[in-house]
Amino acid sequence: MNAMIFAAGLGTRLKPYTDHCPKAMVEVDGKPMITHQLLRLRDAGFNRVVINVHHYAEQIIDYVTANNGFGLDIAFSDERGKLLDTGGGIRKALPLFDANNPILIHNVDIFSNADLTALYESHVNDGADASLLVSERTPSRYFVFDGDDNLVGWKNLQTGEVSTANDELKPTLERVTGDDKQFRLLAFAGIHIISPNLFPLLEKQEEVFSITNFYWQNSMKQCIRGINAPEGFQWVDAGKPEMLKRAREIILIDKSQLTKLRLSENKDGLQTIDN
């Protein structure tokens, strides 16, 4: 299975930690962020992982290489010459993937207890062009979905700004609030999956572009779906110093849940999963 880790950002919100290292190398619970993400992907069954790099890129490359890719087939998408934003980063990395399988995209500073295997399988079974993990949080900006979980636009509740590819729907979305029954405002979790049939469309984009803008701009022509996080979902964007402690807590929660799963399987007579 294909996966990509966004690790090319400058990490300006994490200063002073990122003054001399990339965000991916900032430690959480005694290990660099990139280690946690690679191990989670490996444990979820992913084998081909592409990491895009820019800020202090050589530190990430040297570290992952020195650890033999943590048992994964690793490739690096080098953006040292120019940061390409999220969409541009995916576009540049496409040749490094198995072109016949979907790609799970994961921000390096996102920590959660999401079941990445189940998320990937849900996307494959649903047949969507893209699936976005979303949850009922309270940011300022939201993706807007219809009653069938199809993406219809993007809204900033603070400013009232609405972005949608459907001009006829825009006046309705401008009136949408969190209490609306026809449309749902959900927060993007920084984890998403794209199918191969989107690859040619991505390749036609400009060199630098945002993947979130790409999603709503193509939502009328492509099947862009939301997957709502289940009850008990834990999530944090560890892109700020004050969030590093919360990221560690989620890592411990995730480990605790896995331990309970192993104990439960053992109790029921099933084979215990190795650590």
Side-chain angles (χ1 to χ4, degrees), residues 1-2 97-103 120 194-196 199:
M1 296 192 294
N2 292 322
F97 290 105
D98 172 0
N100 298 313
N101 289 304
I103 305 169
Y120 189 91
I194 57 174
S195 287
F199 296 174

Side-chain angles (χ1 to χ4, degrees), residues 8 53-54 78-85 88-89 92 207-208:
V53 292
H54 173 81
D78 196 335
E79 296 183 26
R80 277 178 281 195
K82 185 179 185 180
L83 270 176
L84 303 176
D85 205 341
K92 179 178 175 64
E207 184 181 21
V208 180

Side-chain angles (χ1 to χ4, degrees), residues 81-267:
K82 185 179 185 180
L83 270 176
L84 303 176
D85 205 341
T86 50
I90 297 171
R91 177 182 177 274
K92 179 178 175 64
L94 286 178
L96 301 173
F97 290 105
D98 172 0
N100 298 313
N101 289 304
I103 305 169
L104 182 141
I105 316 293
H106 199 300
N107 292 3
V108 74
D109 54 0
I110 294 300
F111 288 80
S112 78
N113 62 345
D115 186 331
L116 301 181
T117 308
L119 183 64
Y120 189 91
E121 291 175 348
S122 176
H123 169 83
V124 172
N125 293 334
D126 185 54
D129 295 314
S131 297
L132 321 179
L133 181 62
V134 291
S135 64
E136 296 179 352
R137 294 184 289 109
T138 54
S140 58
R141 296 177 296 172
Y142 295 84
F143 275 129
V144 187
F145 297 88
D146 65 17
D148 294 319
D149 297 323
N150 295 306
L151 180 68
V152 295
W154 179 268
K155 181 164 186 177
N156 187 321
L157 276 188
Q158 292 183 352
T159 65
E161 178 186 2
V162 168
S163 298
T164 178
N166 188 339
D167 292 337
E168 294 182 0
L169 189 61
K170 188 171 184 177
T172 301
L173 297 186
E174 288 174 343
R175 296 190 296 270
V176 168
T177 66
D179 298 325
D180 194 280
K181 295 182 179 179
Q182 184 179 2
F183 297 100
R184 302 171 69 199
L185 302 178
L186 295 169
F188 183 39
I191 304 172
H192 43 128
I193 306 168
I194 57 174
S195 287
N197 53 336
L198 269 190
F199 296 174
L201 189 57
L202 287 165
E203 290 170 343
K204 293 179 181 178
Q205 303 302 303
E206 297 179 355
E207 184 181 21
V208 180
F209 68 99
S210 163
I211 193 62
T212 52
N213 288 345
F214 172 86
Y215 285 146
W216 69 257
Q217 288 166 354
N218 290 277
S219 59
M220 290 187 68
K221 297 177 289 185
Q222 310 296 147
C223 181
I224 314 294
R225 304 291 300 277
I227 297 180
N228 202 0
E231 184 178 353
F233 179 61
Q234 300 285 333
W235 180 95
V236 69
D237 173 357
K240 297 180 180 180
E242 61 268 26
M243 293 294 104
L244 295 176
K245 180 179 178 181
R246 177 59 182 150
R248 179 179 182 275
E249 292 172 352
I250 289 179
I251 290 170
L252 295 177
I253 290 171
D254 202 28
K255 288 179 180 178
S256 173
Q257 290 176 337
L258 187 57
T259 300
K260 289 178 181 178
L261 172 65
R262 289 171 175 149
L263 289 174
S264 175
E265 289 179 341
N266 195 39
K267 180 180 178 181

